[in-house]
Amino acid sequence: AAVVERLTGFNAAIEANTKTTTGGPDLRSGDQLTIAHLTLTRPDGAALVEDLSLSLAPGERVLLMGRSGSGKTTVFRALAGLWRHGHGAITVPADSLFLPQRPYLPIGTLADAICYPADAASVAPDTIRAALSDVGLERFADRLWEPAPWAQLLSGGEQQRLAFARVLIQQPRWLFLDEATAGLDQAGERDLYQLLIERLPETAVLSIGHRDTLVPLHHRVVRLS
């Protein structure tokens, strides 16, 4: 009875949220990332981001900065279609990859975690090992097919390095990094960004970060206030 009651309440909350989130930003798929007059609010109507316009060209790297609570991550949620409170127009290319601060690692082998959401069997083992080496995780190369709770075994910084190995394997044309190097020191952060610049020069990158050391690694900075 307790389980049924919790599920009923959960279902009612989903339905109530759906009723209050009709509309929202106009989200479309296109060839280039564009944000036009985007305003995002909290569910209670309080403004988070007001009248944001932004565009990225292929190969361009833009850093999104601002104080905590200024709505940076909410912008990413809107780009991914996960935040429907607000209005404006968003165009997001189909070949996009989002990396949160704490990447998702599925239960299974290390190869499964690296290749997610692709099937590890579709990627050559040498390609996976090379990506591990590139991001500084070569010590795990002999454990690719070992099933383990990798989200618990790897430190936060190691998980973020693994996520960058995922980027090298998938090679998206549009990449969104939400403090995806916050668990690394400045040298490690710089090395991973330099790796992206060298290996994926045509990939557009929109980053969220707080460190000023990220500024030289991007073409321009957009500050939310």
Side-chain angles (χ1 to χ4, degrees):
V3 171
V4 171
E5 183 176 350
R6 286 196 295 271
L7 291 176
T8 301
F10 182 59
N11 188 57
I14 291 176
E15 291 180 353
N17 184 68
T18 301
K19 292 178 182 178
T20 61
T21 56
T22 56
D26 180 17
L27 181 62
R28 301 181 181 182
S29 180
D31 297 329
Q32 186 169 320
L33 174 69
T34 58
I35 301 172
H37 304 292
L38 178 64
T39 293
L40 300 176
T41 66
R42 296 186 177 92
D44 61 6
L48 281 170
V49 176
E50 293 185 90
D51 200 27
L52 173 65
S53 293
L54 174 67
S55 63
L56 259 74
E60 188 177 15
R61 299 182 303 279
V62 174
L63 177 61
L64 192 61
M65 303 186 77
R67 61 176 175 78
S68 297
S70 59
K72 302 183 299 298
T73 297
T74 307
V75 171
F76 272 31
R77 290 172 179 164
L79 294 177
L82 301 177
W83 193 267
R84 303 300 299 162
H85 302 282
H87 56 85
I90 302 172
T91 301
V92 179
D95 186 12
S96 299
L97 179 63
F98 289 80
L99 289 190
Q101 185 172 351
R102 185 171 181 177
Y104 172 69
L105 304 185
I107 297 175
T109 67
L110 182 59
D112 291 331
I114 296 170
C115 297
Y116 177 86
D119 184 357
S122 65
V123 183
D126 288 345
T127 300
I128 302 176
R129 292 190 182 95
L132 273 180
S133 178
D134 289 337
V135 300
L137 296 178
E138 58 273 4
R139 61 187 177 280
F140 293 103
D142 294 332
R143 303 177 65 182
L144 281 181
W145 310 111
E146 178 183 332
W150 293 104
Q152 301 174 24
L153 296 179
L154 299 178
S155 68
E158 288 172 337
Q159 292 183 42
Q160 291 186 338
R161 289 181 181 274
L162 186 145
F164 271 76
R166 186 181 293 170
V167 172
L168 295 179
I169 291 174
Q170 297 189 22
Q171 298 187 0
R173 296 296 304 276
W174 303 85
L175 181 61
F176 301 88
L177 305 177
D178 185 358
E179 297 191 59
T181 55
L184 302 170
D185 57 26
Q186 293 181 7
E189 181 177 67
R190 182 182 62 251
D191 290 344
L192 289 183
Y193 268 91
Q194 290 290 353
L195 187 63
L196 288 182
I197 294 170
E198 294 171 5
R199 298 293 184 83
L200 303 175
E202 298 300 319
T203 295
V205 180
L206 181 60
S207 305
I208 291 176
H210 292 283
R211 296 173 179 170
D212 289 335
T213 51
L214 286 172
V215 173
L217 299 170
H218 295 78
H219 295 111
R220 55 192 171 103
V221 178
V222 174
R223 297 184 185 273
L224 298 183
S225 62

